[in-house]
Amino acid sequence: MKSKELVQRSWAEPYKIKMVELVHMTTAAERKKAIEDAGYNTFLLRSKQVYIDLLTDSGTSAMSDRQWAGMMLGDESYAGSENFYHLEATIRKYYGYKYVIPAHQGRGAENILSKVLIKPGDIIPGNMYFTTTRLHQELAGGRFVDIIIDEAHDPLSEHPFKGNVDLKKLEALVKEYGSKKIPYVCIATSVNMAGGQPISLQNLRALRDFTKKHKIKIIHDMTRVAENAYFIRMKEKGYKNKSVREIVHEICSLTDGATMSAKKDALVNIGGFLAVNDKKTYEEASNLVVVYEGLHTYGGLAGRDMEAMAIGITESVDDDHIRARVGQVEYLGNKLLEKKVPIVLPIGGHGIFIDAKRFLPHLKQKQFPAQALAAALYVDSGVRTMERGIVSAGRNADTGDHYYPELELVRLTVPRRVYTQAHMDVVAESVVEVFKKRKSISGLKMIFEPKYLRFFQARFKPL
Ligand code: F0G
């Protein structure tokens, strides 16, 4: 057996630990008080009150020694920083997009792109909504319409590519509104709100053919593109022997531009960008970026941040890296499945999503079951998770009613290169413990509701 094959027997991390950050332990009484003070919203906890933080995989990755070394090479010139040109070259090399504009994070890029491409009254079809993406589409006067396949809304469906687009739904929209009202289709790789579910290259190719015919752009939310590429390699016919790097490039080549939150896949604590192939869109976006983010060669970032991002992008498409990353998530998911905890299937790329409807069948959706479950998990063990259900879905901008999403989930999001297998064991033990006493969990009432992206700051109290 070759040594490489030996290594391949486990998902074990392809790195070792050089520096550690101490975490905080708390008592059950302290946690009970902390969640009360936080209005039963895990976003309002202080990080010192948290033991294992699975709130998000966003900006929470551990950077490598190379990335930290890159930080020392920060060229903090206002204009034309060397680090920008390194970042631009890296994006062209790995993703293939022509024009690059940095942004402070994903939503900064979404704001600019939405303002450039959307006119009031436009329709933006997409493979499931994402909170900030949809809000920027709406603020620009557009309306998001979900065209993901039905299986994506069913936590029990084991469809291997639940991120796929239902082309019939798109065709119906084009018939109803005409392609002039549809500036672009918004395609996320590793669909976050569906449970980190991938789109297949076959589906993306069919979408490319359809949109080409109707002169509609595809804009790629590439926040977790490497994880999607890994699933294509594992599950899609014909890709077993392709590298993640090659698959990432192929995905991007089927789209016209992208917004990126580099805080996820690209292994940095802050940063993002907008990338497009068409010069006119680039020129308009590079004009707008100076209004909202900063000059087009830094977009709200320090030179050192762009350097860390360039190096992070290179590390993110490494086969061994991505296999261990997804492997750790699968390890946690399998531990929960063994104990019959209801989670979204198949296991996704960036976290485990507990199905709160099946976990807490005694609660109605308007009693915020996922919010209540996230709070209960925190009280049990100090593990912090996030609601991805009715609170995150918000209200219909036209009618003012709650959206009632099919998926009422608690997301256990695994930061990249941060926690160990033993931490995953502790998380699983806590979820199983809470599952045993699930009947004692009561619903919540919302007592404070912000206008935008309410899940971040809303407050609740037990019913
Ligand atoms: N698109 C997707 C698919 C995301 O998951 C996020 C952020 C964004 C865009 C916005 O990027 O945060 O850099 O402004 N998701 C985080 C999460 C917040 O926890 O899932 P951002």
Side-chain angles (χ1 to χ4, degrees), residues 39-40 356-357 360-375 387 389-391 402-405 408 410 439 441-447 454 459-463:
Y40 294 82
K357 283 187 182 170
L360 301 173
H362 57 287
L363 297 187
K364 295 197 179 70
Q365 196 167 17
K366 63 177 188 217
Q367 298 171 323
F368 309 111
Q371 189 79 31
L373 178 52
E387 192 263 9
I390 183 170
V391 185
H402 289 299
Y403 285 114
Y404 286 88
E408 178 70 26
V410 173
K439 292 208 174 89
I441 298 173
S442 61
L444 297 171
K445 180 179 154 93
M446 202 182 330
I447 52 171
R454 64 184 184 180
R459 301 184 71 88
F460 302 81
K461 72 176 196 212
L463 282 171

Side-chain angles (χ1 to χ4, degrees), residues 24 64 72 94 126 137 144 155 178 180 187 210 242 247 256 272 294 302 312 324 352 354-355 363 390 409 440 449 458:
H24 306 272
S64 67
M72 292 304 291
Y94 291 101
Q137 292 163 355
F144 169 84
K180 289 226 162 60
I187 292 302
F210 180 88
K242 291 246 173 178
I247 299 170
D256 299 292
I352 299 303
I354 299 175
D355 182 353
L363 297 187
I390 183 170
L409 310 174
S440 68
E449 179 177 358

Side-chain angles (χ1 to χ4, degrees), residues 26-34 379:
T26 47
T27 64
E30 285 167 340
R31 293 193 293 273
K32 214 161 163 279
K33 165 97 174 37
V379 172

